[in-house]
Amino acid sequence: MSLLKEPDYGTPARPGAATVEVTVDGVPVTVPPGTSVMRAAKEAGIDVPKLCATDSLEAFGSCRLCLVEIDGVKGTPASCTTPCTDGMVVRTQTERLAKLRRGVMELYISDHPLDCLTCSANGDCELQDMAGVTGLREVRYGSGVDAGANHMDLPTDTSNPYFQFEASKCIVCSRCVRACDEVQGTLALTIEGRGFDSKVSPGGTDFLSSECVSCGACVQACPTATLQEKSVVDLGMPTRTVITTCAYCGVGCSFKAELRGDELVRMVPYKDGGANEGHSCVKGRFAFGYATHPDRVLTPLMRESIADEWREATWDEAISFVARRLREIQAEHGPGAIGAITSSRCTNEEVYVVQKMVRAAFGNNNVDTCARVCHSPTGYGLKQTFGTSAGTQDFKSVADADVIMIIGANPTDGHPVFASRMKRRLREGARLIVIDPRRIDMVRSPHIRADHHLALAPGTNVAIINAMAHVVVTEGLVDEEFVAERCEGFEEWAEFIARPENSPEAVEAETGVPAADVRAAARLYATGGNAAIYYGLGVTEHSQGSTMVMGLANLAMATGNIGRSGVGVNPLRGQNNVQGSCDMGSFPHELPGYRHVGDESVRDIYNELWGVSILDEPGLRIPNMFDAALDGTFRALYVQGEDIAQSDPNTQHVHAALAAMDLVVVQDLFLNETSKFAHVLLPGTSFLEKDGTFTNAERRINRVRPVMAPRTGKHEWEIVCEVAQAMGYPMRYSHPSEIMDEIALTTPTFAGVSFAKLDEVGSVQWPCNEKAPLGTPIMHVDGFVRGKGKFIETPYVPTPERSTRKYPLILTTGRILTQYNVGAQTRRTANTVWHPEDVLELHPHDAEVRGISDGDVVRLSSRVGQTTLRAVISDRMPVGVCYTTFHHPVTGANVVTTEHSDWATNCPEYKVTAVQVELITSGRGAEAGLAAVPVAGE
């Protein structure tokens, strides 16, 4: 396999039908109106020389290499900035043009180091290519350091851990600056100076200290070795490509994994990736080093007791031990005494075989997934109202939104590639509503300012959304035609929502948001055109998470914002395969495709195929497993790729439950907090070794292709199958494609999915079946999955977690751009440069009354536990609210979170915890002694 070079058309494609006829070098071509001459030439199979142009950026017209001659037009216009007109006749190759281009190239080369043979970009440099294309053979103006004024002695900025900026090789084409502006939307780069003194600058400082978010867009856009990955400098240019999918957040970016031999050199965002279209973030682009980190466990580990030291074991020994102990525990304590937790970081195929193992080999429904603690309310709420447990739109849909409402999400940190799409649309004129206790970056950033920021009190989401719906109903803003044709239950819901207790004025004291602001935001959402809702864990991780999801669905239906591009209710999934792990039947009450275990017709499908009799009663949820373990009735747990001892709430309770079990099996890459309670560790595979599929937040099923063979010697799906077989249940596949074939055979929404289909078309969004052979980008277009959308009453019930005199502050949690989930992956990369520790953000008022200054070490305590963190003084939150992340186990933020959870799904209420903050040590330079204490707080 060779290195995949994607075609570059020079300028972006224009929408619309191809109606403009042009002739380029005698070749006729028809293009949409507004298409550049350069792009038309490329579509005719003709390459026009270029340096400042690339098809991910709008035309700039500065390099003067793309000059053409056009009949009837004076001079030699730049083909990148010249739009085609009907009947235009273009010539790209004449002696006049050749002479002009050689002259331009001479000027570039006269001020450029002539070190091509030793340059890290040798063979992958557009300047080098263009010198050849223009036929440059000599430089009349001299070159080198002694040839007069030049820029060849400029320093190299190596401050960024992943790429360097070699200023001496910069041709000031502005592609990096424009990529930062147009693609990423950070605007961290600029051109300083004028004329000969012009230079690219990261805001007058170095790259590490600048506003740069290390997304890699500038590196991707650079036509020379000026901006270059350090891995390429160290290892050399890659020679082959494997297309795969990122294993971080739910955006699901497609990447070209570029290798030199069997060594991964770099990850380059794939232009044909449906989710990212050639863009990336710092995690997906650069933070892949954990896959080869020395901490990786590559051999099975075993021990009789968690007090013992680990010892290495063979695969046969470990698998036999696991199977034997599981059978023994069932024999002693009953069939329901064992269960498993699937992982949202594993492939669909890997997750599918775990739930199959539980139902077929374990003989129960005791399977759950980490989605329980993040997006289970999404599944419940959207199933009740729309009929399916997934978001409604594809990511491209945001380009058609006129009003964007972000609630309980922080896209620039949690879903940065999608955030860039969103920012692009906002800069084009879309209006923005942000509902969040914290002032996230989307509230105000370069060229973006939210029309409304409703800084509500944590835990009052339902009150706010009911108040907005109250305005829609009482002010006559309902889309009556849509509701009449497409929905049911409206009259009852409208009577409920119009009650005075749901008015903005009535809930103002509870939410802390002025009624006038709520009314203005509601009117904008209802009347501003296409309105789209994007939400995250700040919606779901509450005691009323499911109620809130239904409230969002009610609001969208009432205003007719469902079923077309630019609208919808869109959950921003946290992990790479949260959607897929739910699709695969990982919940104790559902088989694959969200079909209840009580449905005999669905059970019959699997009973016949698997040769078993599936129980018709739901099994245990994760919290139930923990409670049952402490009661002595649940004795063994198989944990696939989740560090539940760090990620789940009320750490003291989780630790006690794990310690009470007779057998804990962890399948993961590293020893982690959960493995402290494990008896067997079965080493897992990184995404670079996986073969299968991930399903992202927009229901897009992407192929995950192995870049390298499993370093452990086994694929994860193989391990699970061998455990099942050792327990006496025959579960064999020769390839993961066979697992997907079984999924497609038994799951209607996946009926048209296969590895062959995905390899052919790139990706599809379920439902993918006979009616939609290429998938379904937009859901509920002509009707809801359940028939008619259902309005459901959503009474506001205050969370039982309230601030008290002893715990007067409310803690809420979230993520940061450079770290991911519990940090097992990102903490083993250079991303720790930006976020070496979790910190506690305190409002200046709350800090002052406690005598706390920026950088002090503080004790954070709740009624269930305490930890220590470093304080950062910030006015992003209202008075009385503090904020932290949960990426580092040394501080373990979940040691303070409580047992409260969503009424319908048991999703933990991570976002509301009553706490106290006390000064421990003054001074940023003080030794922190940071540590989580999983005992009752004082």
Side-chain angles (χ1 to χ4, degrees):
M1 185 181 297
S2 61
L3 195 66
L4 176 62
K5 295 282 190 179
E6 297 174 89
D8 189 332
Y9 290 81
T11 60
R14 296 306 179 203
T19 58
V20 179
E21 296 182 1
V22 186
T23 301
V24 183
D25 291 344
V27 180
V29 61
T30 305
V31 296
T35 300
S36 71
V37 169
M38 176 180 284
R39 188 176 183 95
K42 180 67 175 178
E43 293 186 10
I46 299 165
D47 288 311
V48 179
K50 64 185 187 302
L51 277 174
C52 72
T54 184
D55 57 14
S56 63
L57 306 173
E58 292 298 328
F60 194 57
S62 70
C63 76
R64 312 312 296 169
L65 273 185
C66 71
L67 307 176
V68 295
E69 293 181 353
I70 301 174
D71 284 3
V73 176
K74 292 182 179 180
T76 53
S79 62
C80 65
T81 57
T82 302
C84 294
T85 58
D86 204 40
M88 178 182 280
V89 177
V90 180
R91 283 181 296 280
T92 70
Q93 302 295 331
T94 69
E95 183 55 37
R96 178 191 183 195
L97 293 172
K99 185 176 180 179
L100 289 170
R101 289 170 182 159
R102 280 195 299 272
V104 170
M105 280 304 304
E106 282 188 273
L107 292 172
Y108 279 120
I109 297 301
S110 69
D111 193 14
H112 195 83
L114 299 179
D115 60 352
C116 291
L117 294 179
T118 58
C119 178
S120 60
N122 186 23
D124 189 35
C125 173
E126 293 179 44
L127 186 69
Q128 187 182 53
D129 293 343
M130 290 304 104
V133 166
T134 59
L136 185 65
R137 297 293 181 266
E138 61 177 350
V139 179
R140 293 169 292 169
Y141 309 115
S143 61
V145 294
D146 299 322
N150 57 59
H151 301 89
M152 296 188 205
D153 60 349
L154 294 179
T156 298
D157 180 355
T158 61
S159 61
N160 188 285
Y162 293 121
F163 61 83
Q164 64 183 32
F165 176 65
E166 196 169 352
S168 64
K169 294 181 178 178
C170 181
I171 60 173
V172 200
C173 64
S174 293
R175 270 166 59 164
C176 60
V177 177
R178 291 149 54 212
C180 191
D181 295 358
E182 298 175 26
V183 178
Q184 167 58 29
T186 297
L187 288 81
L189 304 180
T190 188
I191 300 293
E192 286 187 354
R194 296 174 61 85
F196 184 79
D197 294 327
S198 298
K199 64 178 182 180
V200 171
S201 171
T205 183
D206 61 29
F207 270 83
L208 184 61
S209 305
S210 73
E211 297 296 316
C212 170
V213 294
S214 298
C215 68
C218 59
V219 180
Q220 182 79 351
C222 182
T224 69
T226 305
L227 283 158
Q228 184 71 278
E229 299 94 339
K230 289 181 176 180
S231 58
V232 173
V233 176
D234 294 339
L235 302 174
M237 287 301 304
T239 57
R240 65 184 182 94
T241 301
V242 177
I243 298 172
T244 190
T245 304
C246 180
Y248 281 114
C249 78
V251 174
C253 295
S254 297
F255 276 89
K256 298 186 298 181
E258 296 189 343
L259 300 97
R260 187 176 181 88
D262 62 354
E263 186 168 25
L264 181 60
V265 176
R266 64 183 176 188
M267 298 288 287
V268 179
Y270 187 40
K271 287 167 64 173
D272 282 345
N276 59 317
E277 297 182 308
H279 191 35
S280 60
C281 80
V282 62
K283 295 190 288 289
R285 183 70 155 88
F286 298 115
F288 53 83
Y290 70 90
T292 53
H293 194 278
D295 285 354
R296 277 284 300 271
V297 178
L298 303 178
T299 303
L301 302 177
M302 293 175 54
R303 57 185 177 182
E304 292 296 325
S305 163
I306 62 174
D308 298 337
E309 295 296 320
W310 288 108
R311 66 176 180 86
E312 290 189 354
T314 66
W315 276 110
D316 287 345
E317 182 185 10
I319 289 170
S320 296
F321 175 81
V322 170
R324 176 175 59 81
R325 288 294 295 128
L326 288 171
R327 289 196 305 266
E328 290 173 350
I329 291 167
Q330 282 190 306
E332 182 177 354
H333 299 282
I338 65 175
I341 298 174
T342 71
S343 173
S344 294
R345 288 196 290 277
C346 289
T347 65
N348 288 317
E349 295 74 17
E350 291 166 341
V351 169
Y352 180 86
V353 295
V354 171
Q355 65 85 30
K356 181 177 179 177
M357 174 179 69
V358 171
R359 294 186 162 108
F362 291 9
N364 60 50
N365 286 317
N366 292 340
V367 61
D368 209 347
T369 180
C370 72
R372 171 71 56 206
V373 301
C374 61
H375 267 287
S376 50
T378 287
Y380 181 88
L382 294 184
K383 183 76 174 287
Q384 299 302 309
T385 51
F386 295 164
T388 189
S389 302
T392 61
Q393 315 294 117
D394 62 357
F395 289 142
K396 292 180 181 179
S397 170
V398 75
D400 294 319
D402 301 305
V403 178
I404 297 170
M405 186 164 84
I406 303 171
I407 178 165
N410 187 1
T412 54
D413 281 16
H415 305 84
V417 172
F418 176 67
S420 293
R421 282 188 188 269
M422 189 180 285
K423 289 190 287 186
R424 198 174 310 139
R425 179 59 188 143
L426 291 168
R427 291 197 301 271
E428 292 169 351
R431 311 285 293 280
L432 177 62
I433 301 166
V434 175
I435 305 178
D436 199 291
R438 189 167 172 260
R439 191 181 68 247
I440 62 173
D441 287 346
M442 292 296 289
V443 172
R444 184 179 301 170
S445 58
H447 301 287
I448 293 172
R449 184 167 184 171
D451 294 83
H452 304 284
H453 175 209
L454 309 185
L456 76 171
T460 62
N461 286 345
V462 173
I464 279 285
I465 213 68
N466 282 350
M468 291 182 69
H470 177 93
V471 174
V472 170
V473 169
T474 59
E475 294 190 6
L477 305 179
V478 173
D479 186 333
E480 296 180 359
E481 182 179 353
F482 180 91
V483 169
E485 292 181 0
R486 300 277 307 271
C487 305
E488 63 184 13
F490 174 75
E491 290 77 13
E492 295 84 352
W493 174 79
E495 186 279 326
F496 155 77
I497 209 71
R499 294 173 188 169
E501 61 263 30
N502 289 319
S503 71
E505 290 75 17
V507 302
E508 180 175 326
E510 185 82 3
T511 67
V513 181
D517 293 349
V518 176
R519 288 189 176 275
R523 291 165 186 154
L524 175 58
Y525 176 82
T527 65
N530 287 340
I533 296 171
Y534 294 94
Y535 72 88
L537 304 184
V539 159
T540 57
E541 292 179 342
H542 286 276
S543 60
Q544 280 200 287
S546 293
T547 307
M548 181 59 179
V549 172
M550 293 187 291
L552 293 174
N554 290 337
L555 183 63
M557 289 188 292
T559 54
N561 282 303
I562 289 289
R564 62 185 184 277
S565 186
V567 299
V569 179
N570 306 285
L572 295 176
R573 304 285 191 166
Q575 297 190 55
N576 54 303
N577 202 34
V578 170
Q579 183 68 61
S581 69
C582 299
D583 298 341
M584 293 299 103
S586 290
F587 288 125
H589 66 292
E590 288 177 336
L591 289 158
Y594 304 99
R595 293 166 295 170
H596 200 277
V597 294
D599 188 328
E600 184 177 2
S601 63
V602 176
R603 288 200 317 279
D604 285 346
I605 295 171
Y606 294 97
N607 289 342
E608 181 177 354
L609 181 65
W610 294 350
V612 299
S613 181
I614 297 173
L615 297 181
D616 60 359
E617 289 294 326
L620 299 176
R621 297 173 175 180
I622 292 173
N624 304 138
M625 293 179 189
F626 294 154
D627 292 342
L630 292 172
D631 290 342
T633 57
F634 187 80
R635 312 294 297 191
L637 181 63
Y638 190 106
V639 185
Q640 179 195 41
E642 291 299 328
D643 192 1
I644 55 176
Q646 184 183 343
S647 64
D648 281 34
N650 195 358
T651 303
Q652 178 187 8
H653 183 69
V654 176
H655 289 189
L658 290 171
M661 296 184 197
D662 297 328
L663 178 69
V664 174
V665 181
V666 170
Q667 186 172 344
D668 216 320
L669 301 179
F670 308 102
L671 288 168
N672 54 30
E673 296 303 297
T674 305
S675 68
K676 294 177 180 179
F677 302 91
H679 304 84
V680 181
L681 191 143
L682 302 175
T685 55
S686 74
F687 81 108
L688 297 174
E689 301 148 59
K690 293 185 185 297
D691 193 351
T693 58
F694 291 151
T695 306
N696 76 349
E698 52 173 357
R699 296 169 283 104
R700 185 181 301 278
I701 307 163
N702 267 319
R703 280 283 278 118
V704 186
R705 296 178 179 87
V707 174
M708 57 187 70
R711 300 183 65 210
T712 63
K714 285 186 183 291
H715 289 288
E716 291 198 39
W717 60 267
E718 289 181 295
I719 300 167
V720 175
C721 290
E722 290 179 16
V723 170
Q725 287 165 202
M727 292 186 71
Y729 177 76
M731 190 158 73
R732 293 180 177 87
Y733 304 93
S734 61
H735 191 268
S737 62
E738 296 177 1
I739 305 174
M740 177 52 73
D741 290 343
E742 183 173 314
I743 295 166
L745 178 66
T746 58
T747 311
T749 50
F750 279 70
V753 181
S754 67
F755 279 27
K757 167 70 75 65
L758 298 175
D759 290 341
E760 176 188 355
V761 302
S763 64
V764 296
Q765 292 167 262
W766 68 257
C768 177
N769 46 37
E770 287 186 2
K771 292 182 179 179
L774 294 179
T776 310
I778 307 294
M779 294 285 284
H780 318 300
V781 173
D782 299 316
F784 288 93
V785 169
R786 68 181 305 279
K788 287 194 172 185
K790 184 178 182 180
F791 283 91
I792 298 176
E793 294 182 20
T794 54
Y796 168 60
V797 178
T799 172
E801 183 72 3
R802 313 289 282 185
S803 58
T804 64
R805 182 174 298 179
K806 189 172 184 179
Y807 301 109
L809 303 178
I810 293 294
L811 172 73
T812 190
T813 62
R815 295 177 175 173
I816 200 164
L817 170 64
T818 56
Q819 294 294 324
Y820 173 70
N821 203 31
V822 296
Q825 294 149 272
T826 44
R827 283 187 286 105
R828 291 176 170 90
T829 71
N831 281 26
T832 53
V833 167
W834 292 284
H835 189 74
E837 62 181 0
D838 292 322
V839 297
L840 182 71
E841 293 186 19
L842 272 177
H843 190 277
H845 171 79
D846 296 324
E848 183 178 1
V849 298
R850 290 166 174 78
I852 296 170
S853 301
D854 199 73
D856 290 348
V857 176
V858 298
R859 178 185 295 111
L860 175 71
S861 57
S862 72
R863 59 183 173 81
V864 300
Q866 64 185 38
T867 186
T868 50
L869 303 98
R870 201 175 301 279
V872 170
I873 310 306
S874 169
D875 63 356
R876 282 176 175 256
M877 303 78 59
V879 173
V881 177
C882 54
Y883 172 87
T884 190
T885 51
F886 49 86
H887 304 301
H888 292 264
V890 68
T891 47
N894 287 323
V895 74
V896 302
T897 53
T898 68
E899 76 284 0
H900 297 310
S901 64
D902 174 49
W903 62 271
T905 66
N906 283 131
C907 182
E909 189 167 50
Y910 289 109
K911 303 304 182 186
V912 186
T913 304
V915 296
Q916 179 59 286
V917 179
E918 304 163 274
L919 176 66
I920 294 179
T921 308
S922 297
R924 181 169 292 276
E927 287 296 325
L930 305 179
V933 182
V935 294
E938 299 173 353

